[in-house]
Amino acid sequence: MRTGVCYFPEHWPRERWETDVEQMAEAGLEYVRMAEFSWAVLEPERGEFDVEWLDEAIELIGDHGMQAVLCTPTATPPKWLVDERPEIRQEEPDGTVREHGSRRHYCFNSAAYREETERIVTKLTERYADNPHVAGWQTDNEFGCHRTVRCYCDDCAAAFREWLAEKYGSIEALNEAWGNTFWSQRYTSFEEVDPPGPTPAEHHPSRLLDYARFSSDSVVDYNRLQVDLLNEANPDWFVTHNFMGRFPTLDAYAVSEDLDLVSWDSYPTGFVQDRLEGEPTSDQLRAGDPDQLGIDHDLYRAALDRPFWVMEQQPGDVNWPPHCPQPGEGAMRLWAHHATAHGADAVLYFRWRRCLEGQEQYHAGLRKQDGSPDRGYHDASQAGAELAAIEDADHVDAPVALLFDYDNLWALDEQPHAPDFDYWSLLDAFYGALRARGVQVDVVHPKTDLAGYDAVVAPALHLVTDGLANRLTDYVETGGELLFGPRTGVKDEYNKLRPAPQPGPLADLVGASVDQHESVPAHLETRVRRADGDETYGFRTWAEWLEADAATPLLEYDTGGVEAGRTAVVENDVREGTVVYCGVWPDADLADALVRPLLERADVPYCDRLPEGLRVGERGDYTWVTNFSSDRFGLDPDADVEWLLGDAAVGAYDVAIADGRIVDGLSVERLE
Amino acid sequence: MRTGVCYFPEHWPRERWETDVEQMAEAGLEYVRMAEFSWAVLEPERGEFDVEWLDEAIELIGDHGMQAVLCTPTATPPKWLVDERPEIRQEEPDGTVREHGSRRHYCFNSAAYREETERIVTKLTERYADNPHVAGWQTDNEFGCHRTVRCYCDDCAAAFREWLAEKYGSIEALNEAWGNTFWSQRYTSFEEVDPPGPTPAEHHPSRLLDYARFSSDSVVDYNRLQVDLLNEANPDWFVTHNFMGRFPTLDAYAVSEDLDLVSWDSYPTGFVQDRLEGEPTSDQLRAGDPDQLGIDHDLYRAALDRPFWVMEQQPGDVNWPPHCPQPGEGAMRLWAHHATAHGADAVLYFRWRRCLEGQEQYHAGLRKQDGSPDRGYHDASQAGAELAAIEDADHVDAPVALLFDYDNLWALDEQPHAPDFDYWSLLDAFYGALRARGVQVDVVHPKTDLAGYDAVVAPALHLVTDGLANRLTDYVETGGELLFGPRTGVKDEYNKLRPAPQPGPLADLVGASVDQHESVPAHLETRVRRADGDETYGFRTWAEWLEADAATPLLEYDTGGVEAGRTAVVENDVREGTVVYCGVWPDADLADALVRPLLERADVPYCDRLPEGLRVGERGDYTWVTNFSSDRFGLDPDADVEWLLGDAAVGAYDVAIADGRIVDGLSVERLE
Amino acid sequence: MRTGVCYFPEHWPRERWETDVEQMAEAGLEYVRMAEFSWAVLEPERGEFDVEWLDEAIELIGDHGMQAVLCTPTATPPKWLVDERPEIRQEEPDGTVREHGSRRHYCFNSAAYREETERIVTKLTERYADNPHVAGWQTDNEFGCHRTVRCYCDDCAAAFREWLAEKYGSIEALNEAWGNTFWSQRYTSFEEVDPPGPTPAEHHPSRLLDYARFSSDSVVDYNRLQVDLLNEANPDWFVTHNFMGRFPTLDAYAVSEDLDLVSWDSYPTGFVQDRLEGEPTSDQLRAGDPDQLGIDHDLYRAALDRPFWVMEQQPGDVNWPPHCPQPGEGAMRLWAHHATAHGADAVLYFRWRRCLEGQEQYHAGLRKQDGSPDRGYHDASQAGAELAAIEDADHVDAPVALLFDYDNLWALDEQPHAPDFDYWSLLDAFYGALRARGVQVDVVHPKTDLAGYDAVVAPALHLVTDGLANRLTDYVETGGELLFGPRTGVKDEYNKLRPAPQPGPLADLVGASVDQHESVPAHLETRVRRADGDETYGFRTWAEWLEADAATPLLEYDTGGVEAGRTAVVENDVREGTVVYCGVWPDADLADALVRPLLERADVPYCDRLPEGLRVGERGDYTWVTNFSSDRFGLDPDADVEWLLGDAAVGAYDVAIADGRIVDGLSVERLE
Ligand SMILES: [Mg+2]
Ligand SMILES: [Mg+2]
Ligand SMILES: [Mg+2]
Ligand SMILES: [Zn+2]
Ligand SMILES: [Zn+2]
Ligand SMILES: [Zn+2]
């Protein structure tokens, strides 16, 4: 339950530092992140190091009772280094080289850059291994930002071939696994396999999926190089990396396996503009979307099943979204509480002071450019004090797992089969329904042990191995409650269709199979009706026509068209548990109509359907109520509640904390 | 009146083939297309051939009373070949090389690739010249698909220079023909002329037009290389190529001159999404647009004035349009009948079975991925039986010609002069009016002998030589009925303006000339009014202000603006015939108001205006009624009709066949 | 008050010239511009010159009492030259070379091209230095058209480094000035600084701004090379360059310093489609927008504070906008009067006759392709006669200055901070309010001496030096009336934030500072209300929250959101003058509510708010009334008026000229 900030002392005169650090301490900040992007300051010319400034800054921070979190500066190799070793630069598929002048202009597979990385990281670890004020390290910064996970240079081509040879053993095995008979794509040796460059038509989906995996693995390897150096120097400091929001090309689960702590960078009012479907509402522009943030909190928490950090928390207006409205009053405080409710143990604001130079001059800090307090400083101070007053909460214990993984993301991104099919958005549909019922969710990889979960939701579990099918079957047979979304069980792990009808190896479990699938534009009729009643619900984008075998039809298509009367959703009782397969992309009402009985069956406590923007989170013995809207809401819990912060009337962008769990039976009304 | 299918035995275990082929025969299929894209299977390494599998497949097909249609596998050179001879690859204008990994990654002008082509084709012709089960060959596949007609490599540059030297003889003649004084574009030798690469501003239109012609001619040459080898090996089998729908860069008339049979690939619900103006309707998403298909049927039929084939017929949902809705009930059967009505002698569905691997896993077949029958199998079987029951119908004998050619398409594509000016769409306006009156249309090149046509419609006959002007004048003077659309007679054959006012050499024939032209956005007023009455009609995009000389004004502009009162359409009696010049892009009502009197004057039988989606086609002594809509229609013919299939009430996506011609005087009403 | 035309004799047979030139003279044209783009005709092969045709054409023009304006042909180096010296070609940031085939395919920093330029210009100056019929020269044509100001070739890289070394002296100074600590962007030598190529993320704004300045300076240098040669050959002929409308990458003020005469190319119905926000109205499509044209007239007039020319005036329909409607009746005449009212001394139509060849066949001339008069010929003749009848009017003497400069344009274009933030459009908001009150405006660089202006308006004076701040303070203190728009005083001259709050060095003058800024999409509430009343006004895109110190709040935010009640506009009395700071992008009503009191305080005469499309311009002792709309308006001046042309009822696209100044107190009503 701590707060912190990112600080760039190298941007400010030495004589200002004391003032800055004092003001940090006054705000109750406990962690100060530094040295990010500072390579050219640390090593202005090859072999000439200047680290005294960092020594001093760390000392000052320690003197004020705070701790330093250091970053390896590898996201920004200086120009002298790039000019000496130009082969470190990334290449686009068409051979265009990504040059110096911004950041992340290096290739993860460059042997030269790995050498340079080892050199600078070693220099820093040697310097600070024994420094008592250094709590831990962040490797690099936001791996993959600016579309840099996938590179197409010669180093990558060679590494890809090695990766493939390692994976498949023989070229015949690769040809077979990918299915290269199609369009004469068979190879005679691994040497023939290139990164996917410019082609007249689309690429082979199996080749693309392996290039996505290889590229992500390259980052995992590169990160591990740094982690090993850091761990070797001092096994006690923590090592983390700051991931990004809704980030598509890097497997955060895989990177996390080498980390002690997972952290991520949260920019709520930017994310609603550049990575959420649809036009953001006024409230979203002012405070972000709690479920969009929540799904990432829950993913990064689940990655190590351990409290996470928000390594960069939006401090006010930022520079990169299309529009940059001022956050609503109190939003910067709200976000810290919301993250904590989802399991964060620390929230560090980015950055201390608006920078006078470079690409981020239009990015606010906790302090304005003149050093005076900005809106975020007040919010951060208040949040810090309030969070410090809460006794340490336990790790979030979520009763429901949402299955998510990057292989499925990559496979579906390659073949969305509809311009409006987006895997994240489909996840949102199910996640949002759970969160609107006050339920805590772990966003986990399908390989996770599911035994501890009362219910599991798996939207678009596109690639399914026999092993996974068996594990899910076991889960249900031993009493698990499972809900599948559309596009589940379509392919094998190589992104090839199975000969068996969808959902392939899950067909027995589901008790039904898919007769047809289709993607549909918004102006076609898209309604389903209860098989045993009159209620209808909307869907969008995707429709599967199910043929029930053992299963019972729950919903059928209710249109004038070719799908009329066919089955859209089925339910199947399997020994101790139940599985529901939903063949459409549900709207919010339909998602709720699927989720609520799931929770009932799983005996998971839930509340009345919450209004948009209001979310409730239980962590340990506390319940956080966070209001991301400009409306005021009144809470009506089932039992008496002691409010540790706020009360049952929660204003715009405000927070309340109850002592105890209050979700079960809670209802909420909008106040005038 | 036959059906068939495309089959890829190489994707399936040998032990499955017998089952597959039996099921084909059961469905009444008579042709099986094979070997497309199979180079890497036929020749896994240079010089090591494996063709026994194909021998066996052909044998099996023959054993079941069907015939094989083979494809040369040149659309997909294997990776070993590309790596050995990388110069075969195409280049983008900016030098980006199109790499292996999809298909069509070779340059038509590559000497190396022509060698390789000769080698593989010869290998196959030697093998199958005497095989009694091989009915004919398809060269390559869909020449030009994925924007591959135009390449910008060094081979193409050299070939372009030769092509120009051959055409113009001297560089002075080229400078004069193109008009290269403009912007100092004169050349001193053919060596100076490059393919049109990246330039600050737009290219010279005459240079672009010749590059378009040269590129198309390169494909003609390449195709002829294959045709010659095939004909030489066995003069009795037919040679065809499968063209595409509404395809812009290849002159299908020119390629066809070397073929025995013209065929094309028809994907109705995809085409309405990716190559038709406007948002498709629900009916179009379910069954396609009959006139969009019809114009291509009529073009490919007219190319050799001979029955054509649909070489690939959409079998169900497909993978490449934006959205992939399921076709309406019976649509796959409807399409076969519709093609037959337009003159097809065979319809082959693509493909037999959904493929488990590669780029087209989301493309349906007649059989599902598990081998069981898919929706298309039932439709294809029914269509096959119904068509087999019809005695062979004669070749379609169309009374009206629509003039279309690629030079005009290319010239107008380069200089549309309005974002919404699309030559195909303008053709649609006139073609749709004719088809809504039940009239059969030949879509022919302007060089065609028009003597046999009762009426001719020529929208945007942009480039006009004196010879063409003389032939059209003769046509009218000897009793022909001629309707011109806008943008006619603007340029000479080199894409240069003539000094004479538009319509240039046609001005005497038309009896009027164009004072001004303009392109207008949708929000300006665009109405015309009868010169001799009150009826008004809408137009769009293009307006010419006519000055009538011998001609009579028919319609004038009816707006508050600068064009008010000026003449938009004129009619001119010329000896035995009449010519009408329409200076605007007509809406459907105006097009009908021009077409109906044209048919009257030409004494062409026609019916009441048909509802959208319902189309009637006469072929020989039969009349097909095809309903591409979800409505039900009742037909009221002038005389008694014997229905060979269905009856006078035609349901959604259904078909009726009358014994005899029923268009003259037919009326139709929508049934509840 | 003269008219002229652009003529390309080289496109027409010699025997036609006499007819053409006679018809020019009949139309009252006095200037004939020639030789543009004619390099390949003048020098068909290296060293072989053919200039006799030009001699003859000049002679013919002189014989008919007209004067020639010649153009250096450097915009179109011939292919033989490009092939001989390929290094002259421009490069895109990714290395793509811009090839021959259109125009402007040379690099301004190419030493080779400077040599060639010197050679051809010298050849021409030697030939015509003593020719009595050559009035002057235009250098090249439309520098920078087709995005050619900024090149990324090796020559440019070298020149950029020199330019930087010259500007900064040491690399340490550059690092400091730009602020290169950010993201490790420090350089160790000038050799390390490249043109801004492809990078993963956005570039450093200070580097971008200097590349924009360097690129513009390169054009200034290149132009000066030509100017010096021309001046040296004959100091008496004038030297001009034809600038473009609303052109973003070239500093026209800087280029103009080397010229005798500023001219520009005006295409009203094209500009409203491709460089004005929003969908153009029907009237704008027919006649253009008078304020869009006016702001450029006023900029190019102010550049040398001297009458300017319209070197190319749209003659009818043109080829390059999205749509090409015919101009309204009389529009070509209207434009000549409107330009004259804004201070033009000559208007030359482009071109004489529609060209039969090349890229501009769809561009009208004063004569049609057959040589007969086109619509523009009649308009031009009438305008010529009417303007000749007006005694020479004085230079426009504008009481109000609008501050504009390219550094601000470039800085804001790099960091618009909202997709809909466009510096020109913000200028339009203030300029339009002034022009709707009948006020003449000089569009001047901030370094201009402002002493002569009664009022100054400065929207988005983004970069402010201390010197400028002092000059503006002096201006107000000595009685000037000053109105600032939003985003003023944000940065220093290096595009770096100042540590002091916005408006930085202007804070004392303004008596207020900016607490927060934000950019907002259209669907957020955007209203302000008078601090002392109930009137509300709209704004868009940008909002600053002001904290008044000495100043008085005038307007405050009137929304339900976070900005409610905060100050949006302040007024500050400073000794003899007043300054108003407007922190929002005003809508038209708000702009008028700010401008009208400004004019009152400054004692500048103004009229009732004019309807859109109707504009009034005072020049010397005349007042032009120009109606760019299809409505008819009745003018009601305060006193009796003698109409030199037209009268108080001004029809669609018509003009009236009053003898005397009539703006003060004028009112206008729409007539039925
Ligand atoms: Mg748990
Ligand atoms: Mg015929
Ligand atoms: Mg003045
Ligand atoms: Zn790489
Ligand atoms: Zn080529
Ligand atoms: Zn250059």
Side-chain angles (χ1 to χ4, degrees), chain C residues 305 396-398 442 452-453:
Chain C
D305 196 17
V396 171
D397 184 25
D442 279 352
Y453 293 103

Side-chain angles (χ1 to χ4, degrees), chain B residues 179 181-182 184-185 192 194 198-199 201-202 204 419-420 462 487 491 497 499 515-519 523 563, chain C residues 37 39-40 79 99 101-103 279-280 286 322-326 356-357 359 361-362 368 370 374-375:
Chain B
T181 301
F182 192 83
S184 274
Q185 290 174 93
E192 284 180 1
D194 304 319
T199 43
E202 71 273 24
H204 194 299
D420 46 347
H462 197 60
R487 303 194 77 169
K491 299 213 187 181
L497 271 188
D515 177 33
Q516 301 294 340
H517 65 260
E518 59 178 347
S519 65
H523 62 286
E563 63 290 305
Chain C
F37 310 125
W39 195 330
K79 187 63 175 6
E99 298 178 2
S102 65
R103 57 180 182 175
E279 187 76 10
R286 296 302 188 183
H323 286 96
C324 307
Q326 283 291 330
L356 303 182
E357 63 187 48
Q359 281 87 333
Q361 298 172 47
Y362 275 96
K368 296 183 176 181
D370 65 357
D374 208 339
R375 302 178 69 220

Side-chain angles (χ1 to χ4, degrees), chain B residues 320-353:
Chain B
W320 48 266
H323 285 97
C324 307
Q326 282 292 329
E329 203 59 48
M332 283 67 76
R333 164 184 171 251
L334 172 71
W335 298 328
H337 279 286
H338 181 254
T340 304
H342 277 270
D345 270 4
V347 174
L348 281 70
Y349 290 86
F350 181 86
R351 54 180 56 230
W352 174 246
R353 180 169 166 183

Side-chain angles (χ1 to χ4, degrees), chain B residues 411-427:
Chain B
L412 289 164
D413 271 1
E414 287 163 16
Q415 296 186 302
H417 209 49
D420 46 347
F421 192 98
D422 174 69
Y423 178 51
W424 299 107
S425 296
L426 179 66
L427 290 173

Side-chain angles (χ1 to χ4, degrees), chain A residues 192 198 487 515-516 518-519, chain B residues 79 99 326 362 368 374:
Chain A
E192 285 180 1
R487 301 193 78 169
D515 176 34
Q516 301 293 340
E518 60 178 346
S519 64
Chain B
K79 188 62 175 8
E99 298 178 1
Q326 282 292 329
Y362 275 97
K368 296 183 177 181
D374 207 338

Side-chain angles (χ1 to χ4, degrees), chain B residues 517-533:
Chain B
H517 65 260
E518 59 178 347
S519 65
V520 292
H523 62 286
L524 287 191
E525 279 186 285
T526 47
R527 292 202 67 78
V528 290
R529 173 202 302 265
R530 278 199 187 282
D532 62 355

Side-chain angles (χ1 to χ4, degrees), chain B residues 50 79 110 173 317 373 518 619 637:
Chain B
D50 175 9
K79 188 62 175 8
S110 164
D317 59 295
E518 59 178 347
R619 177 176 180 184

